Amino acid sequence: MRTITTKRSPLALAVFSATVALGSTQLVLAQTDEGAGDQPTPQRASIQAPVIEEVLTIGRLQSSADSIVDERLEQAFSADVLGFDQISRAGDADIASALGRVTGLTVVDDQYVYVRSLGERYSTVNLNGASVPSPELTRNVLPLDLFPSTIVKTLKVQKAYSPDLPATFGGGNVNIRTKGMPEDLVFDVSVGTGWNTVNSDDGIFYSGGDIDNGVPAELSQAITLYQGNITTNDIAQSIVGQGQAISSEVRAQAQQINRDLMLSLDRNVEITPQSLDPDYGGKVSLGNSWYVGDDWSVGGLANLSYDHQWRNKNQTTQGIGNPDQVNSEIQRTSEESRTLASVSGGVSFQEMHTIEASLFYITDIEDRAVISRGYDQNNQESDGSQILDYQTRYEERRLTIGQFTGDHNFEFDLIDAIDEVGIDWYYSDSRAETAIPSEVNITGSNVVDPATGEVLQTRLQSTTNMTTFGFLQLEDNVTSYGYDFELPMNFGDNVLTLTAGYDYSDKTRAYYGYTAAINAPGVSSEALAGTPGEVLGDENLGNLDYNFDLTMDPGLGTESYIAAQKTDAAYAMFDLNIDYTWRLTGGARYENFRQALLPVNMLDYSGSYLEAQIEDLENNPENFIVEDESWYPSLALTFMDQGFMGADDFQIRASMAQTVVRPDLREMSEVQYLDPDLDVRVEGNPNLEFSELDHFDLRTEWFYPGGDNFTISLFYKDIVNPIEQARVPGSDDSILLTYYNAESGEIYGLEFEGLKDIGAGFFVSGNLTLSDSEIVSPEGQGFTNTVRRMTGQSEYVMNAQLGFDSEDGMHTASLLYNVFGDRVYYAAVLDGHDDAFEQPYHSLDLVYTFYPTDTLSMKIKLSNLLDQDREFEQVNSGGESVNILTQEQGVGMGLDFKYSF
């Protein structure tokens, strides 16, 4: 077993030594409330925020902002908090959209957040303080669009590391805190519809897919019977025995068996035009709480939501080397439906002891059809030869989460300094499942008239892998639990809080995949002429005069694997508040991380592959097993003042910390995944190493009456072995991305954030992040630029909002603008071209809400009013800027009606 040891700077030793020394003099320290589900405990005599004068405001957003100022002020480490009212005001339907408005955050693929321009692998996402698995094949963090905003109580984004958080901390930690036991009766019902301008053109559709398909029983049995060798020749050889002559009768028998297996596949893949319906969906929430006697209260809350949409996601691509001759038009239509059901219940005793249980069940089903038409070096428009590829893909993702949390406060009268002790705990058991029971890829071509572009003939290609059928199953199981102890001590105007805690996480994964292929070398043009539905029909494939042959693709048979991760963690913190003026917070976290990953060849029945793996495991265990144990320190100093520059509250925080970012199992497995949003393939790298980070943060905040506030932040991160994304050298018309370790990296920036009431019911708010970065890649590996910006890093990110609240409270409106600067999409390798960049994207949204009564509301949202597309550009070796990928976005329109009791 390989043990990775991490060198620590004097900062680590100093903070750890200080923690031990303070403990020996009975200076104790406290957790933040983050450790056990992030449930605030107002009764606890921990550090209290300075008293804030109550200000009544009519503005819905400003008043909701006031409601979370206390929590933001109480944070010892820099954090941003969004409440449900703020999210609702902006018209954000899911968590990903809401987080896109937080300072320094950008949303990628409408699902993942980049915190301070660091990719999603550098950020962690927790649900009520617990880690949960991702059902997404290409990412190691939760796709945040899975969670509707209606279940959110608050979203907390912590950008400066504290030891009560997982040590896998890069850009930040996002904690989704869901609504629990309500205080009063809750009954909300909403229905909505929507449309997007990219749907104005007809889409495409096929009637296959379905979760019940999967590997046909006949094929599964044949794979076992013939040990993965199901070609006509292999079956015939199996019948007569190895090395024996094959008669014509046996060959005919084998051919019929092979053809029957071929016909058992789901070939209902004819793609036809489809008129796209409007989006539709609905949500309902129901809950209440009841007092049982004088001391006890019980309550529960249930949420159900459903959303359905059709969407065209058309693309254009150009080959970087010769864009005039290598290009394509890709027509993509997806149908997506998403369901969330959640229920939570709890019991509270004297508001000193609370136990809650929650269950979440989320499904996300996507069915899509793709037709790609284009040209390459061998198929030129001038020759009348056009490439024609088809794809159908059905994918179902499921996420099941069960959680228990407890918050307990025990009063003590032993000494004057100690009033109570707090204990928090959580237990979470979750499962993520992804099933692709049917992914069909078909290669074909068109004969076109070079003069008019008219299609004269369509046929499938006479090649191996003419049609492939992919079957995939992924299951992740994560069990995690932890507890925290908090001991606050009051010494007049000084408060010292000691915190200690423990966390455990156990993750297992099974990834299994098969690929069957129909080979067609030598098949006559007559048999291949026509559309997929015609060529793959029963009559055509059932004709034994046509030499189609079914095989299992051995190259993809080795892409299955099983894996496990375990993490034991413990931490200790102290938090010393001196006269509500100075606050010193520090501590350290110890983590013992273990990981094992074992590739599996689903088509190996000889045992030789397994024997080779066992031998390799014995001789080179570092290829399969990794262990990392280390300490991760953090230290923060805060100065607080009331009245500085006319502010009700002023704070300045400085912090520094050390953390680690470990590559996920997806990134370390030699498996190719399809990025469903951009339709490019991504491959893992088993040689990735951990990234080590040093963090330095400085944040200054001013809070004024009525909700006005202003914040300035500086940050710097130094990274050893940063994980970056590069393009695998290949043909100009296919993009395959992979991961690698750069030698070093750094990122630094300046953040501004503020909200200002400008009168007459109007206010402005916004944030701006200016940053830069540098990555140093290894020499001699063919990188075009060994020194460049980090992947995903934008030199600027800006959010701006102009809001209006009518005096009678019946109308609210927001004009929302977001833009990010160009960012590196991938590093160019071995081709002489420059790195690829995603171009700036300007988003302008308008949200209007009408409240005719206290219980009814109507919301209208217009999104992407500038009708901008996503564009990716790259400069080739000849100095020409090429638009390598463009994806339509369209203008969105939504209408929602809501009833709240």
Side-chain angles (χ1 to χ4, degrees):
M1 179 175 296
R2 179 167 62 112
T3 301
I4 298 177
T5 56
T6 302
K7 292 183 179 180
R8 293 292 165 203
S9 70
L11 166 64
L13 300 176
V15 174
F16 177 66
S17 301
T19 304
V20 174
L22 288 170
S24 66
T25 56
Q26 298 182 349
L27 296 181
V28 221
L29 229 180
Q31 79 174 51
T32 64
D33 289 317
E34 195 84 305
D38 262 334
Q39 300 299 321
T41 55
Q43 299 79 21
R44 192 173 298 173
S46 58
I47 297 174
Q48 301 296 319
V51 176
I52 302 175
E53 178 184 356
E54 182 180 4
V55 179
L56 298 178
T57 59
I58 296 176
R60 294 178 186 270
L61 181 63
Q62 294 183 61
S63 60
S64 65
D66 285 343
S67 67
I68 60 174
V69 165
D70 285 359
E71 180 177 3
R72 180 165 166 176
L73 285 170
E74 289 177 356
Q75 301 301 315
F77 297 87
S78 297
D80 292 304
V81 182
L82 281 179
F84 171 74
D85 290 337
Q86 291 172 292
I87 298 171
S88 177
R89 168 61 186 264
D92 298 318
D94 54 60
I95 292 175
S97 302
L99 289 174
R101 310 192 190 285
V102 175
T103 307
L105 270 64
T106 53
V107 178
V108 179
D109 298 341
D110 297 323
Q111 296 178 303
Y112 308 98
V113 291
Y114 280 22
V115 182
R116 289 177 167 172
S117 292
L118 289 168
E120 76 278 347
R121 80 176 53 82
Y122 288 97
S123 301
T124 53
V125 177
N126 292 341
L127 183 67
N128 296 316
S131 64
V132 294
S134 170
E136 173 57 57
L137 291 174
T138 58
R139 301 292 195 278
N140 60 350
V141 295
L142 277 172
L144 295 175
D145 62 334
L146 284 180
F147 296 89
S149 58
T150 52
I151 71 168
V152 174
K153 181 179 181 181
T154 58
L155 296 174
K156 181 181 178 183
V157 182
Q158 187 162 325
K159 300 176 184 176
Y161 176 70
S162 57
D164 57 327
L165 293 177
T168 52
F169 184 100
N173 173 270
V174 178
N175 191 16
I176 305 168
R177 298 183 284 192
T178 60
K179 298 174 181 177
M181 190 171 65
E183 297 180 359
D184 299 301
L185 175 64
V186 174
F187 180 54
D188 295 333
V189 178
S190 64
V191 293
T193 185
W195 184 253
N196 191 288
T197 56
V198 296
N199 290 0
S200 59
D201 298 326
D202 286 338
I204 53 179
F205 176 72
Y206 77 108
S207 57
D210 198 316
I211 195 67
D212 295 326
N213 291 338
V215 181
E218 301 92 331
L219 179 58
S220 180
Q221 294 168 5
I223 291 172
T224 302
L225 177 62
Y226 301 111
Q227 298 189 351
N229 302 309
I230 63 168
T231 65
T232 298
N233 285 337
D234 289 332
I235 294 174
Q237 197 69 66
S238 176
I239 292 173
V240 301
Q242 194 64 34
Q244 300 299 312
I246 300 173
S247 65
S248 58
E249 292 81 3
V250 171
R251 181 172 298 280
Q253 179 186 355
Q255 185 182 20
Q256 186 63 60
I257 294 173
N258 179 273
R259 199 60 57 90
D260 289 340
L261 295 175
M262 194 182 301
L263 294 173
S264 72
L265 294 165
D266 179 14
R267 292 161 290 111
N268 191 7
V269 293
E270 185 74 358
I271 299 177
T272 58
Q274 170 76 29
S275 179
L276 304 185
D277 296 328
D279 305 338
Y280 60 89
K283 302 176 179 67
V284 60
S285 298
L286 177 63
N288 203 353
S289 61
W290 302 268
Y291 284 97
V292 182
D294 295 331
D295 297 325
W296 294 86
S297 63
V298 296
L301 178 67
N303 288 278
L304 179 65
S305 68
Y306 176 80
D307 290 289
H308 181 279
Q309 71 172 26
W310 286 93
R311 195 70 80 235
N312 283 331
K313 300 181 178 180
N314 299 333
Q315 295 179 335
T316 60
T317 68
Q318 291 182 296
I320 180 63
N322 194 345
D324 292 333
Q325 296 184 6
V326 179
N327 50 70
S328 64
E329 297 284 340
I330 303 171
Q331 187 177 6
R332 306 168 65 205
T333 300
S334 68
E335 178 188 13
E336 187 170 8
S337 59
R338 184 171 296 163
T339 304
L340 178 139
S342 67
V343 60
S344 61
V347 57
S348 177
F349 176 72
Q350 294 183 344
E351 297 187 347
M352 296 290 288
H353 302 273
T354 301
I355 296 177
E356 291 188 333
S358 300
L359 177 65
F360 304 88
Y361 180 73
I362 303 172
T363 63
D364 182 29
I365 300 173
E366 183 181 18
D367 208 356
R368 74 173 184 173
V370 182
I371 300 177
S372 175
R373 302 175 178 88
Y375 303 93
D376 63 14
Q377 303 291 353
N378 300 317
N379 298 270
Q380 294 294 307
E381 185 175 9
S382 58
D383 299 330
S385 178
Q386 183 184 64
I387 299 172
L388 179 65
D389 292 331
Y390 306 86
Q391 182 193 73
T392 63
R393 178 184 173 99
Y394 180 95
E395 180 174 357
E396 179 169 343
R397 301 182 292 174
R398 294 188 295 268
L399 184 60
T400 307
I401 306 168
Q403 295 186 330
F404 294 90
T405 61
D407 184 1
H408 309 278
N409 298 285
F410 300 92
E411 294 183 345
F412 284 92
D413 296 324
L414 297 178
I415 59 176
D416 293 338
I418 301 177
D419 297 322
E420 62 183 19
V421 174
I423 300 176
D424 298 329
W425 58 269
Y426 75 93
Y427 176 86
S428 177
D429 194 0
S430 51
R431 172 181 296 180
E433 300 170 276
T434 299
I436 302 179
S438 178
E439 179 183 342
V440 184
N441 290 275
I442 305 166
T443 61
S445 62
N446 280 331
V447 177
V448 299
D449 185 333
T452 64
E454 179 186 359
V455 176
L456 304 177
Q457 184 186 42
T458 296
R459 61 173 178 257
L460 302 192
Q461 294 283 4
S462 177
T463 61
T464 58
N465 294 349
M466 175 200 72
T467 302
T468 62
F469 299 81
F471 312 98
L472 185 147
Q473 184 73 43
L474 169 70
E475 181 177 312
D476 271 356
N477 290 278
V478 176
T479 299
S480 60
Y481 56 83
Y483 47 83
D484 305 273
F485 299 92
E486 180 177 275
L487 178 63
M489 295 180 288
N490 294 279
F491 305 96
D493 290 333
N494 302 322
V495 179
L496 173 67
T497 309
L498 297 176
T499 307
Y502 171 81
D503 289 288
Y504 174 81
S505 176
D506 186 345
K507 178 179 182 178
T508 60
R509 170 175 297 173
Y511 177 94
Y512 300 117
Y514 283 116
T515 300
I518 297 178
N519 296 330
V523 175
S524 66
S525 298
E526 175 190 359
L528 296 174
T531 64
E534 295 167 341
V535 177
L536 301 178
D538 289 352
E539 182 178 354
N540 199 54
L541 287 188
N543 189 341
L544 297 182
D545 292 334
Y546 300 147
N547 295 322
F548 295 107
D549 203 12
L550 181 68
T551 184
M552 299 302 297
D553 191 322
L556 296 177
T558 59
E559 290 197 343
S560 301
Y561 66 94
I562 56 176
Q565 289 179 345
K566 289 188 177 183
T567 305
D568 287 285
Y571 74 91
M573 291 175 59
F574 69 89
D575 193 351
L576 178 62
N577 190 311
I578 303 174
D579 196 26
Y580 301 111
T581 302
W582 291 96
R583 183 178 184 180
L584 179 65
T585 309
R589 183 182 185 90
Y590 167 81
E591 283 197 355
N592 183 6
F593 172 84
R594 291 94 72 198
Q595 174 179 287
L597 189 151
L598 183 67
V600 176
N601 188 344
M602 300 290 289
L603 300 177
D604 182 81
Y605 289 84
S606 66
S608 58
Y609 180 80
L610 182 59
E611 291 175 1
Q613 276 192 312
I614 293 174
E615 182 179 357
D616 194 13
L617 178 61
E618 292 174 347
N619 298 329
N620 305 288
E622 68 276 5
N623 292 341
F624 303 91
I625 301 172
V626 174
E627 182 172 354
D628 175 36
E629 52 182 333
S630 190
W631 289 90
Y632 303 97
S634 179
L635 184 67
L637 178 65
T638 304
F639 172 74
M640 301 167 282
D641 186 22
Q642 293 183 337
F644 181 74
M645 296 180 63
D648 277 359
D649 288 281
F650 167 80
Q651 289 190 349
I652 182 169
R653 298 182 180 90
S655 66
M656 45 190 176
Q658 292 182 323
T659 63
V660 65
V661 171
R662 307 180 182 103
D664 187 70
L665 294 170
R666 291 174 175 85
E667 297 172 338
M668 296 192 70
S669 61
E670 292 183 284
V671 176
Q672 286 188 21
Y673 304 99
L674 180 69
D675 186 318
D677 193 69
L678 294 177
D679 208 26
V680 298
R681 290 203 168 268
V682 183
E683 183 177 58
N685 177 5
N687 299 315
L688 289 178
E689 298 182 9
F690 299 167
S691 303
E692 300 167 6
L693 295 90
D694 290 325
H695 308 259
F696 302 90
D697 290 85
L698 181 66
R699 182 169 185 165
T700 306
E701 301 172 290
W702 292 263
F703 293 92
Y704 294 91
D708 291 356
N709 61 79
F710 185 63
T711 302
I712 302 177
S713 302
L714 292 167
F715 65 89
Y716 174 83
K717 299 177 187 291
D718 184 76
I719 311 173
V720 178
N721 296 325
I723 300 172
E724 287 288 288
Q725 198 168 59
R727 180 172 179 172
V728 176
S731 60
D732 286 340
D733 56 339
S734 62
I735 296 177
L736 175 60
L737 305 180
T738 190
Y739 305 99
Y740 77 99
N741 284 110
E743 293 180 349
S744 63
E746 61 178 0
I747 183 169
Y748 48 90
L750 177 65
E751 297 175 337
F752 302 90
E753 178 185 0
L755 183 148
K756 175 64 178 175
D757 185 349
I758 57 177
F762 287 92
F763 64 92
V764 292
S765 66
N767 53 74
L768 172 66
T769 301
L770 305 174
S771 64
D772 200 359
S773 65
E774 182 178 275
I775 283 289
V776 179
S777 297
E779 297 281 355
Q781 294 189 12
F783 287 98
T784 302
N785 300 302
T786 55
V787 178
R788 57 169 177 80
R789 284 161 47 193
M790 291 186 69
T791 301
Q793 191 262 322
S794 298
E795 293 181 319
Y796 60 89
V797 177
M798 185 176 75
N799 290 287
Q801 177 178 197
L802 172 63
F804 170 76
D805 292 316
S806 65
E807 292 186 3
D808 58 11
M810 295 181 64
H811 307 274
T812 66
S814 295
L815 186 64
L816 305 139
Y817 173 72
N818 169 269
V819 64
F820 58 82
D822 64 346
R823 54 194 182 200
V824 177
Y825 177 40
Y826 59 75
V829 182
L830 298 177
D831 52 18
H833 308 309
D834 203 353
D835 304 319
F837 287 82
E838 181 174 4
Q839 297 306 295
Y841 185 82
H842 300 263
S843 174
L844 184 65
D845 300 341
L846 177 64
V847 182
Y848 166 74
T849 307
F850 174 51
Y851 301 88
T853 70
D854 291 338
T855 58
L856 293 176
S857 65
M858 180 189 71
K859 180 182 296 181
I860 300 173
K861 181 175 182 179
L862 303 177
S863 57
N864 193 26
L865 288 170
L866 301 178
D867 196 17
Q868 184 167 352
D869 297 331
R870 288 186 69 183
E871 296 182 345
F872 299 79
E873 292 185 2
Q874 189 175 9
V875 176
N876 63 22
S877 56
E880 178 185 7
S881 181
V882 178
N883 196 330
I884 60 172
L885 176 63
T886 299
Q887 179 166 304
E888 294 180 348
Q889 297 296 105
V891 178
M893 294 155 280
L895 177 64
D896 290 276
F897 298 91
K898 182 178 180 180
Y899 170 80
S900 300
F901 179 79

